[in-house]
């Protein structure tokens, strides 16, 4: 791997979803140093945020693979090449300076790179807020669960009525002391089959209700939540953790001002995955071209195509095709 200063890399990858993680592996395979930037605090992008416990059936080589396991495998695959992860960080500004691009992050930190690869999926994820949980994020409230065992033996309240809320119920049930769902409506957006599974587990499901207050103990830790139930008395539920599974909004944010050709939240690319801006490439769901099919498997191929072309752009003497990984020592 190329030795470079701490804030300078051959490649900066924007987006730590499956495509971005595979791009990190492939960049390392090509001998490129790389940093990976993502607004979410954990790698995995949409898979981690929305369906980490669901099975995925259309990734080559796996009859089925759980979302979380796929992400773990991709992180492990890239690990030997030591990618620098800048998670919970937002890419704000992109400038071209000589033969480099400079990416400015929120907070003012600047990364210099030979090229940028945008693998931002459907855009920057912003969790929909739970008003009563203001100030509790990271202190008892989460929007998704990085590690199920962190909630072993806890009383967990899941707020929401979509597929992701019920996914968390099914995933947490075997490890938590109790799991309760609170949803503000009587009907759910989740698939009927997954709602039925939760009911069959004996999960307490409270509808037409909202969390109104987080209650802390003498040590400042979360111990309960108050809920207002339509047509009933306010109720207090034991809660060591609250999963606010209210969904996410997504948009390209500052990327839309970077001088790229954008249509319907997607970036136009050519057959090398290059964008309209020199040294800027895109792959995965965020990349657009005629006949595009948005699949994780497609993103993997696009990541390899982009990185191989980036390697040649950075070093014209390099070969576009580096050989098969099975031949590498």
């Amino acid at each position: 791997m190329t030795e470079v200063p701490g804030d300078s890399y051959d490649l900066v990858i924007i987006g730590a979803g499956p495509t971005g993680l595979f791009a990190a592996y492939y960049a390392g395979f090509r001998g490129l140093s790389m940093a990976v930037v993502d607004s979410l605090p954990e790698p995995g992008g949409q898979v981690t945020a929305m369906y980490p416990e669901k099975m995925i059936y259309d990734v080559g080589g796996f009859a089925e693979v759980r979302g979380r396991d796929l992400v773990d495998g991709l992180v492990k695959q890239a690990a030997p090449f030591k990618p620098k992860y800048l998670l919970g960080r937002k890419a704000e500004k992109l400038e071209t300076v000589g033969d480099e691009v400079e990416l400015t992050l929120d907070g003012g930190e600047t990364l210099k790179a030979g090229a940028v690869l945008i693998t931002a999926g459907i855009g920057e994820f912003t969790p929909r807020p739970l008003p009563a949980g203001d100030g509790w994020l990271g202190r008892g409230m989460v929007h998704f669960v990085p590690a199920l065992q962190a909630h072993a033996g806890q009383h967990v309240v899941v707020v929401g009525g979509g597929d992701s809320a019920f996914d968390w119920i099914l995933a947490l049930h075997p490890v938590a002391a109790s799991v309760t769902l609170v949803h503000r409506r009587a009907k759910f957006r989740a698939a009927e089959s997954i709602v039925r599974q939760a009911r069959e587990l004996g999960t307490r499901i409270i509808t037409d209700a909202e969390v109104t207050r987080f209650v802390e103990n003498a040590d400042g830790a979360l111990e309960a939540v108050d809920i207002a139930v339509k047509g009933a008395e306010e109720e207090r539920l034991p809660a060591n953790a609250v999963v606010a599974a209210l969904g996410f909004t997504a948009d390209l944010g500052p990327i839309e001002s970077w001088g790229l050709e954008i249509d319907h939240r997607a970036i136009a690319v050519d057959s090398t995955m290059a964008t309209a801006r020199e040294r800027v490439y895109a792959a995965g769901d965020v990349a657009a071209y005629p006949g595009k099919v948005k699949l994780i498997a497609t993103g993997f191929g696009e990541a390899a195509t982009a990185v191989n072309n980036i390697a040649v752009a950075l070093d014209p003497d390099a070969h576009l095709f580096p050989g098969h990984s099975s031949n590498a020592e």
Side-chain angles (χ1 to χ4, degrees):
M1 188 166 138
T2 306
E3 292 294 329
V4 292
D7 65 346
S8 182
Y9 306 87
D10 294 321
L11 176 64
V12 171
I13 300 165
I14 302 174
T19 298
L21 293 173
F22 187 71
Y25 154 74
Y26 212 92
F29 175 64
R30 286 303 312 249
L32 306 179
S33 61
M34 86 299 297
V36 183
V37 179
D38 199 290
S39 62
L40 292 176
E42 298 288 332
Q46 186 176 350
V47 174
T48 296
M50 302 188 73
Y51 52 94
E53 298 302 322
K54 281 195 170 182
M55 291 297 182
I56 302 171
Y57 300 96
D58 55 3
V59 176
F62 294 95
E64 60 179 35
V65 58
R66 196 176 303 276
R68 183 188 304 280
D69 295 335
L70 176 63
V71 171
D72 287 346
L74 288 163
V75 170
K76 182 178 180 180
Q77 186 179 24
F81 303 110
K82 298 180 172 56
K84 173 71 173 181
Y85 289 104
L86 296 163
L87 303 176
R89 304 296 302 276
K90 297 181 181 181
E92 297 284 357
K93 186 178 180 182
L94 183 69
E95 296 179 296
T96 301
V97 181
D99 293 333
E100 291 184 318
V101 287
E102 292 188 356
L103 183 71
T104 303
L105 307 183
D106 56 339
E109 181 180 358
T110 298
L111 306 178
K112 297 179 181 180
V116 166
L117 174 58
I118 303 171
T119 57
I122 61 175
E124 176 187 309
F125 278 95
T126 302
R128 289 192 173 94
L130 176 62
D134 186 33
W136 282 93
L137 187 62
R139 298 179 49 224
M141 187 182 77
V142 296
H143 293 291
F144 56 92
V145 181
L148 295 175
Q149 285 303 315
H151 300 289
Q154 291 188 340
H155 297 288
V156 181
V157 172
V158 178
V159 182
D163 284 339
S164 59
F166 282 90
D167 281 344
W168 292 126
I169 287 172
L170 299 183
L172 289 164
H173 183 268
V175 300
S178 69
V179 184
T180 304
L181 178 79
V182 176
H183 183 45
R184 63 177 179 165
R185 297 190 177 95
K187 294 184 178 181
F188 302 108
R189 290 175 287 108
E192 185 178 337
S193 60
I194 196 172
V195 175
R196 183 172 60 251
Q197 290 179 60
R199 292 189 188 281
E200 289 173 351
L201 289 174
T203 303
R204 187 182 180 196
I205 297 175
I206 307 172
T207 57
D208 287 323
E210 293 188 60
V211 174
T212 58
R213 180 170 174 253
F214 281 50
V215 181
E216 60 184 271
N217 61 20
D219 297 322
L222 181 64
E223 69 172 10
V225 293
D226 290 339
I227 62 170
V229 185
K230 185 178 180 180
E233 295 281 337
E234 186 171 87
E235 182 176 352
R236 178 163 292 184
L237 301 175
N240 308 115
V242 171
V243 181
L246 301 172
F248 295 80
T249 58
D251 63 67
L252 293 180
I255 291 175
E256 295 196 61
S257 66
W258 290 357
L260 307 172
E261 184 181 338
I262 295 176
D263 183 35
H264 293 92
R265 291 195 311 189
I267 302 170
V269 297
D270 64 17
S271 61
T272 69
M273 310 311 296
T275 72
R277 186 163 177 174
E278 188 177 0
R279 294 181 177 268
V280 180
Y281 296 72
D285 285 358
V286 77
Y289 49 83
K292 169 67 176 269
V293 177
K294 292 187 176 183
L295 293 172
I296 290 175
T298 306
F300 289 163
E302 292 172 355
T305 297
V307 171
N308 281 322
N309 280 280
I310 288 168
V312 174
L314 297 182
D315 179 6
D317 293 328
H319 294 290
L320 177 63
F321 177 60
H324 298 290
S325 63
S326 55
N327 296 330
E329 294 182 0

